[in-house]
Every structure is written in C-alpha cells, then in structure tokens.
Amino acid sequence: MSIAADIPVPRGDGEPSDVPSPTIAARVWRCGRFELSLETPLVMGILNVTPDSFSDGGKHDDPAAAVAWGERLIAEGATILDIGGESTRPGASALPPSGELARVRPVVRRFATDGAVPVSIDTRNAEVALACVEAGASIINDVSGFRSREMVAVAAGCDAGVVIMHMLGEPGTMQASPHYDDVVSEVGGYLLAQAVVLQAAGVARERIAIDPGMGFGKSLEHNLALLRALPQLAELGYPVLLGASRKRFLGDLTGVMEPAERLGGSVAAAVWAAAHGAAVLRVHDVGATVQALAITAALG
Ligand code: HH2
C-alpha cells in the first residue's frame, strides 16, 4: 500500500474520497518559459526586499542592495530566485499591495530580464502576483496556499509555476497554540485539495508544487512530523518545496536563537529534506547548501 494512502484525496468539492492518490513522481516543473528538471534538487535562493524579515530584514531593501544580493545568490548556484516584499514572520502585520509591489517589481523585472534563472514572486496578494508575472516572474509562491479566488484566477490566466504552501490561519496569529488532530494528514489533504482547485481552474498539473509550510502555524513537533513525512508528501505526485532555512524550530532544537547563525541547522535540514523527497529547497545560504548537496550527491 502506498504510504500516501493515509492522506485523504479530495473530490474537488472539499469532501475526501477513496480515489487512490497519485504516486507518479514528477520529473519536471513547468514554470513559464522554464522547464525545470527535478532529477537533482533545485535550490531556491531567498531575496527579501523587506525592512523586517525575520532573519535578513533591512539587508537588501533598497533596489541596488537587492540586485547585488540576487546576483550573489545566482553566482553561488541558486537555480531559482524567490523575491519577497512582505515579511510573513509570526506576528507580522499585512502590507498594502501597492507598498509590496513598489518594493519587488523593479527587482523582479531586473532578474526576469536577465533571464539567468527563473524568478519566483513570494506574495499572498493577487495584484502583486499579476503585476510581477507581467514583469517576467515565472513562479507564484503563495504562502496562503491559493486560498483567494483572485490568486487562483491569476494562476489560471498565466503559465507560471505555482507553489501551494500550507499555513494555519494568518501570520499575525498563526503561532498562537496551533492544533491539529493529525498534522500530516491535514496538511497533505489541504495541499491536495488546493491542487485540485487549481487544476479545475485550468492550471496544468506539471505547473504545481506543494509545500508543508515549516513554521506557519506549527509547533516544533508539527514541523518535525512534517519533515519526517516528506516521502509521504512526495508520493502525492507534486514536487515538494521545503523552506526550513534559519527558522525558529531549528533554534529550538539547537539553542541558537539568532536566526542568521542557524547555518548548520539550516544546511542539515536541507540535506535531510533532499534525501527524503524534497525537490526544491528554499534557502538563505545558497553557497553552503549547494556545497552540502554536491557532497551528498557524490556519495549517492
Ligand atoms: N517561508 C517564508 C517565506 N516564504 N515560501 C514558501 N513556499 N515556503 C516557506 O517555508 C516560506 C516561504 C519565511 O521566510 P523568510 O522569507 O526568510 O522570512 P520573512 O517572511 O520574514 O520575510
């Protein structure tokens, strides 16, 4: 029996069904004009054009600094650049779309025009996603998991890749006593349900990636359970993206409270995730992650 069998497969009307879940591993991820091979892990470098991100806020929030940082991430081996203009750290308050767009659009345009790697826009706002796709972004990374109809419509109206991430609630309150009866089944079921919604709206299956959302409404135990269940999530048949980089749960495990100093924990989590089915690793420290993955790849 497939180990994904515990995750209920939605019929599309929100009710679970007994239809067997797909277990064909995706080989490519179609993102606009890019067809990304999933034979080796993709490294998504994080470029936060924000004053307040939890680990690098204020470091690249002017366009020149953002471009310099993005160029460095590409030079270090990033295969995707994920550009964000709104912090979604626990307790963060929402930013008006106009403010978010003003931060990210010039940087998206610059790297999309350059064309060296696909540009991903990390946003919960349909207006920002649309404007950034028009500016050349090839991936929409929505930490709210395409909950909004407008976001689904933007995805359906373009050919960008999409990342459906699971978040319990909203960033402002998500870490206030998160509760699940069965975190793996609930998160996996949600991701599948949203993939069905997107496919029903016209988004091709090969464009969709899923992400359990480390730290987004999860306790330490929830994060660990989801990491351990990566093979099960990968069996759902969509590439799995994992973003553990510098996150609080790594600090809880190691005692390192300063996010920027969580390099060792971040690299270990990325390597472990790649070995257990993650296809895309979203990281701040691209060079160190690429090095570590090269060693594990050489060792088979
Ligand atoms: N984590 C963050 C932001 N976007 N997207 C996906 N798909 N998966 C994640 O785990 C994820 C994400 C939070 O990290 P960061 O961008 O560094 O922080 P902030 O939200 O404070 O800008």
Side-chain angles (χ1 to χ4, degrees):
M1 185 174 70
S2 156
I3 55 167
D6 291 346
I7 296 175
V9 179
R11 284 200 299 252
D13 56 2
E15 292 298 314
S17 81
D18 55 2
V19 178
S21 52
T23 54
I24 305 157
R27 292 262 167 256
V28 292
W29 184 22
R30 276 183 32 218
C31 302
R33 62 197 168 86
F34 294 89
E35 191 162 287
L36 304 177
S37 167
L38 300 172
E39 295 302 325
T40 53
L42 298 168
V43 177
M44 175 186 258
I46 300 169
L47 178 46
N48 284 323
V49 194
T50 58
D52 56 348
S53 285
F54 79 95
S55 83
D56 55 0
K59 288 202 164 168
H60 339 108
D61 60 340
D62 78 75
V67 168
W69 190 249
E71 283 173 346
R72 177 171 163 179
L73 295 180
I74 294 170
E76 288 181 353
T79 38
I80 301 170
L81 215 49
D82 189 37
I83 300 175
E86 180 199 39
S87 173
T88 49
R89 73 190 189 288
S93 47
L95 180 74
S98 56
E100 186 183 344
L101 193 52
R103 290 177 185 171
V104 290
R105 185 159 39 191
V107 187
V108 166
R109 189 172 283 135
R110 156 71 176 74
F111 285 104
T113 307
D114 187 38
V117 299
V119 169
S120 162
I121 175 65
D122 182 351
T123 186
R124 303 184 281 157
N125 279 307
E127 191 183 323
V128 174
L130 178 61
C132 288
V133 167
E134 286 172 354
S138 300
I139 298 170
I140 302 170
N141 173 21
D142 180 4
V143 299
S144 66
F146 290 85
R147 285 178 205 173
S148 96
R149 279 195 202 151
E150 291 79 12
M151 240 345 189
V152 173
V154 171
C158 70
D159 62 357
V162 298
V163 181
I164 305 169
M165 198 200 79
H166 176 274
M167 168 166 61
L168 187 68
E170 298 293 328
T173 52
M174 65 191 179
Q175 286 305 103
S177 310
H179 171 80
Y180 303 82
D181 290 327
D182 179 338
V183 67
V184 173
S185 162
E186 289 171 47
V187 170
Y190 173 84
L191 295 173
L192 262 181
Q194 292 305 91
V196 168
V197 167
L198 283 164
Q199 286 173 237
V203 177
R205 183 187 177 86
E206 302 74 40
R207 290 170 51 198
I208 299 174
I210 57 174
D211 179 350
M214 295 288 101
F216 283 85
K218 278 113 193 167
S219 67
L220 171 60
E221 287 311 320
H222 296 144
N223 288 315
L224 292 178
L226 288 165
L227 272 171
R228 291 187 189 110
L230 280 177
Q232 194 173 337
L233 294 173
E235 276 200 31
L236 297 176
Y238 301 90
V240 175
L241 186 150
L242 205 275
S245 185
R246 299 186 180 177
K247 286 195 176 160
R248 170 66 185 259
F249 79 99
L250 300 175
D252 291 339
L253 291 169
T254 57
V256 179
M257 284 303 124
E258 171 51 48
E261 290 171 12
R262 295 177 185 150
L263 175 63
S266 301
V267 170
V271 166
W272 196 92
H276 291 82
V280 189
L281 305 159
R282 181 181 184 277
V283 302
H284 299 87
D285 301 289
V286 167
T289 308
V290 167
Q291 274 191 36
L293 290 171
I295 301 305
T296 50
L299 294 168

